RNA sequence: GGUGCCAUAGCUCAGUUGGUAGAGCAACGGACUGAAAAUCCGUGUGUCCGUGGUUCAACUCCACGUGGCACCA
């Protein structure tokens, strides 16, 4: 068994992951890696509920605000950056905490994803323009010709999945499916996964309240300052896109805020769907600190 | 007080020339190997305000009641 442990804290947004992560970081005298795909952008602070200055002072956090919304970023970049960082941290600590709500980012670190060349911005733009021109049926046809194997397993009504495969085929001249090994990468550390959840109604109350708090803290101003960049992927994000619509004159501010709450609830449900599938995850309530520590000790000494 | 209009899903509303009802949003379930807070798929959850009446049959027509809105006093 490995003596280095990555402790994962997963769960839906607003469930209380940050508080537990800080508690555990203090207990183990270690640091925290953020696995939230939006908190990495330094321009997005209020709307992504990054930990407060006080919280950040208690435990060192990595990958919060370390990128700009103008940077291209994805799960593979996150995997590579995190593995590099972990090499350094495990030289110093026996345990490291990773917390966040982006299931794909967490899996990229725990299991790895296949190495595929990064697609150039030019090809991405080109294929997107193509999609607008020939539509879903058009890109489906192209994928069936270029990569029949993937065409049969892909969600054919999801343009993003089809475009990704076409981008890779265009970029490399090889079918996307030829890069998919499905192999789990071996890591030089072990993982322990904690899932946090609370009754649905409590979660929704916390989400609704947190959106009100974000608005009180100036989310409207933050979004206003970013409206010129709304075309960037980073800003295709709950809490911002609804306010951009409001700036366009679509609906009232109250309606926009209600939409942010509803879309955040839906996001939380999608997170739960993702995490429920992971059988390595052990579920707790966020206030069960003692039980969680007991479980961690047990797993880490095994 | 009078007149008119309205009352259908959690919300906003459509609809049935009388045969127990549907759309958007919400809600719920699922997928997901480089945009993942993204993207995509599936599910209608209902005393059709109440009580009587007409009818083989009423959510639909009639009467009364209740609640809401508007206008007139």
């Amino acid at each position: 068994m490995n003596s280095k442990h990555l402790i994962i804290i997963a769960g839906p947004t607003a469930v209380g992951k940050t508080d537990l992560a800080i508690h555990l970081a203090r207990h183990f005298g270690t640091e925290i890696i953020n696995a939230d795909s939006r908190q990495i952008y330094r321009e997005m602070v209020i709307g992504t509920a990054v930990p407060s200055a006080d919280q950040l002072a208690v435990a060192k956090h990595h990958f919060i605000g370390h990128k700009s919304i103008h940077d291209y970023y994805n799960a593979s970049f996150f995997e590579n950056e995190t593995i590099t960082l972990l090499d350094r941290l495990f030289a110093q600590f026996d345990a490291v905490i990773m917390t966040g709500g982006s299931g794909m980012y967490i899996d990229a670190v725990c299991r790895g994803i296949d190495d595929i060349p990064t697609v150039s911005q030019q090809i991405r733009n080109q294929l997107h323009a193509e999609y607008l021109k020939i539509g879903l049926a058009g890109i489906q046809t192209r994928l069936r010709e270029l990569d029949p194997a993937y065409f049969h397993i892909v969600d054919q009504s999801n343009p993003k999945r089809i475009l990704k495969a076409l981008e890779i085929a265009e970029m490399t001249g090889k079918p996307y499916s030829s890069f998919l090994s499905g192999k789990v990468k071996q890591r030089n550390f072990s993982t322990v996964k904690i899932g946090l959840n609370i009754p649905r109604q409590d979660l929704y109350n916390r989400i609704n309240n947190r959106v009100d708090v974000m608005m009180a803290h100036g989310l409207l101003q933050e979004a206003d300052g970013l409206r010129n960049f709304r075309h960037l992927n980073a800003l295709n994000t709950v809490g911002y896109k609804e306010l951009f619509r409001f700036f366009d004159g679509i609906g009232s501010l109250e309606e926009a805020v209600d939409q942010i709450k509803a879309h955040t609830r839906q996001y939380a449900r999608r997170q739960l769907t993702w995490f429920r599938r992971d059988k390595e995850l052990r579920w707790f309530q966020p206030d069960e600190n003692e039980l969680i520590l007991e479980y961690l000790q047990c797993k880490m000494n095994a």
Side-chain angles (χ1 to χ4, degrees), chain A residues 281-292:
Chain A
L281 222 136
R282 174 71 177 268
W283 292 95
F284 292 93
Q285 304 249 354
D287 58 359
E288 295 180 316
N289 286 350
E290 294 310 312
L291 280 175
I292 290 169

Side-chain angles (χ1 to χ4, degrees), chain A residues 23 37 43 82 90 108 123 143 173 184-185 197 215 281 287:
Chain A
H23 176 79
S37 72
E43 295 90 343
T82 302
F90 280 135
I123 288 184
L143 181 64
V184 174
K185 289 182 186 167
N197 202 187
M215 289 302 291
L281 222 136
D287 58 359

Side-chain angles (χ1 to χ4, degrees), chain A residues 13 16 25 38 43 56 59 68 73 76-77 96 101 108 122 155-156 163 175 199 205 242 245 255 261 286:
Chain A
T13 188
R38 290 302 187 270
E43 295 90 343
L56 293 175
S68 161
Y73 201 75
S76 180
F77 289 15
V96 172
Q122 191 202 334
D155 176 357
Q156 293 173 10
L163 282 173
N205 289 339
E242 296 84 358
R245 281 171 60 84
E255 284 167 338
K261 291 174 181 174

Side-chain angles (χ1 to χ4, degrees), chain A residues 221-266:
Chain A
Q221 290 71 20
E222 184 170 272
D224 189 37
L226 296 171
R227 60 203 287 184
N228 290 337
F229 310 119
R230 58 189 294 179
H231 59 283
L232 296 172
N233 174 63
L235 288 168
N236 183 191
T237 297
V238 175
Y240 297 88
K241 54 186 175 185
E242 296 84 358
L243 292 175
F244 294 150
R245 281 171 60 84
F246 165 67
F247 294 143
D248 287 341
I250 303 170
S252 67
L253 181 59
E254 192 191 346
E255 284 167 338
V257 170
D258 283 345
Q259 276 178 20
I260 294 174
K261 291 174 181 174
H263 292 164
T264 305
R265 296 194 296 267
Q266 291 167 351

Side-chain angles (χ1 to χ4, degrees), chain A residues 46-213:
Chain A
I46 299 169
T48 59
V50 298
S52 68
D54 288 348
Q55 289 174 315
L56 293 175
V58 173
K60 172 138 179 87
H61 283 67
H62 299 268
F63 301 155
I64 285 186
H66 81 305
K67 293 288 173 189
S68 161
I69 55 173
H70 302 283
D71 296 328
Y72 176 67
Y73 201 75
N74 61 42
S76 180
F77 289 15
F78 181 77
E79 173 190 5
N80 292 329
E81 281 196 298
T82 302
I83 295 302
T84 301
L85 174 65
L86 282 173
D87 277 344
R88 210 181 82 217
L89 293 179
F90 280 135
Q92 189 181 162
F93 307 107
D94 287 336
V96 172
I97 317 284
M98 183 163 81
T99 185
S102 302
M104 186 174 178
Y105 280 28
I106 292 172
D107 284 355
V109 170
C110 294
R111 282 175 254 220
I113 52 182
D114 290 312
D115 294 315
I116 299 172
T118 297
V119 177
S120 74
Q121 184 70 51
Q122 191 202 334
I123 288 184
R124 284 205 309 274
N125 292 344
Q126 181 192 317
L127 273 160
H128 187 71
E130 186 99 4
Y131 165 53
L132 293 179
K133 210 168 70 188
I134 64 179
L136 180 61
I139 58 174
Q140 284 172 337
T141 302
R142 285 194 56 183
L143 181 64
R144 186 164 44 209
E145 288 162 5
L146 289 172
D147 191 349
Y150 190 63
F151 179 77
H152 286 294
I153 57 169
V154 73
D155 176 357
Q156 293 173 10
S157 48
N158 191 331
K160 290 201 177 194
R161 301 274 153 71
I162 294 183
L163 282 173
K164 169 62 18 194
L166 289 178
E167 286 167 6
I168 299 298
E170 176 80 18
M171 178 92 184
T172 66
K174 291 195 285 187
Y176 177 60
S177 55
S178 68
F179 292 96
L180 303 178
S181 72
K183 270 189 207 138
V184 174
K185 289 182 186 167
Q186 289 306 302
R187 303 300 193 197
N188 56 4
F189 53 86
S190 71
T191 57
V192 195
K193 296 180 180 175
I194 303 291
L196 295 185
N197 202 187
I198 52 178
R200 190 64 63 92
Q201 195 53 56
D202 296 344
L203 181 65
Y204 285 0
N205 289 339
R206 285 184 62 112
I207 286 172
N208 295 341
N209 286 335
R210 196 171 71 172
V211 172
D212 288 333
V213 169

